[in-house]
Amino acid sequence: MTEPPRPGHGGVVHPATAVPTPSTDLEPAFAAMFRAHHDFVWRILRRFGVPPDALDDKVQDVFLVVYRRWSDLDPAASPRSWLYGIARRIAADQHRGDRRRERRLAAVPEPPPPPPPDAHLAEGEAAAFLEAFLATLDEDKRAVFVLADLEGLTAPEIAAAVGANLNTVYSRLRLARQRFAAAIAARSRDPRSPR
């Protein structure tokens, strides 16, 4: 008895030997079907436009369907026509999935372009300048300035948070903002100056 052909060798197993009878086991018949028709299924899927990186998975999907629906195979019919129909449906499912994925990706907005490298440098310099400026303020003015100008709290909210009356909060904020404006002016004259 000759050895059944392996995938890639183009051999054909006669349908009668590929279809198990009730007295035979499914596994050897299925293995023979796989060996005999693997290349055929691969070519059909490729010709239906399945991408090369998905071909092996889709061939496996075809043979999983074959295994599950083995009893549907008519022993008198050519297995190739049955495999062709399954492969065509698997390829169509692949294309539908690809189109759905493309529509979902198209619905997602493009991310903004990354900032230029010098933007990170400018952000770092601005953060360092702000930290240096905040270090020049006393604790009360620093708290009011941070809560108002960096965190966006209102003067009444700040007054409640720091336990000061509203006029004191306004006064501290005005002085801190004046110091900040002076620090920015000094920085424009000498970039190393936090004051």
Side-chain angles (χ1 to χ4, degrees), residues 97-166:
D98 290 346
R99 285 192 299 273
R100 277 194 303 270
R101 194 169 24 264
E102 288 168 10
R103 281 195 303 270
R104 283 194 302 268
L105 287 175
V108 175
E110 285 289 320
D118 58 344
H120 289 297
L121 178 62
E123 288 173 7
E125 289 175 354
F129 170 76
L130 182 60
E131 288 295 321
F133 167 73
L134 291 173
T136 67
L137 297 176
D138 64 55
E139 188 176 333
D140 293 333
K141 288 185 189 72
R142 184 182 316 131
V144 169
F145 183 81
V146 166
L147 292 173
D149 289 352
L150 302 181
E151 298 300 327
L153 273 65
T154 65
E157 290 172 324
I158 296 168
V162 299
N165 74 45
L166 192 55

Side-chain angles (χ1 to χ4, degrees), residues 163-194:
N165 74 45
L166 192 55
N167 287 336
T168 301
V169 168
Y170 282 124
S171 174
R172 290 175 184 168
L173 185 56
R174 181 178 46 76
L175 292 171
R177 284 176 174 166
Q178 286 173 349
R179 297 271 309 271
F180 189 60
I184 290 175
R187 183 172 190 249
S188 63
R189 290 189 300 274
D190 179 8
R192 293 170 297 181
S193 172

Side-chain angles (χ1 to χ4, degrees), residues 6-25:
R6 296 185 310 273
H9 295 281
V12 176
V13 172
H14 189 274
T17 63
V19 178
T21 62
S23 63
T24 63
D25 210 10

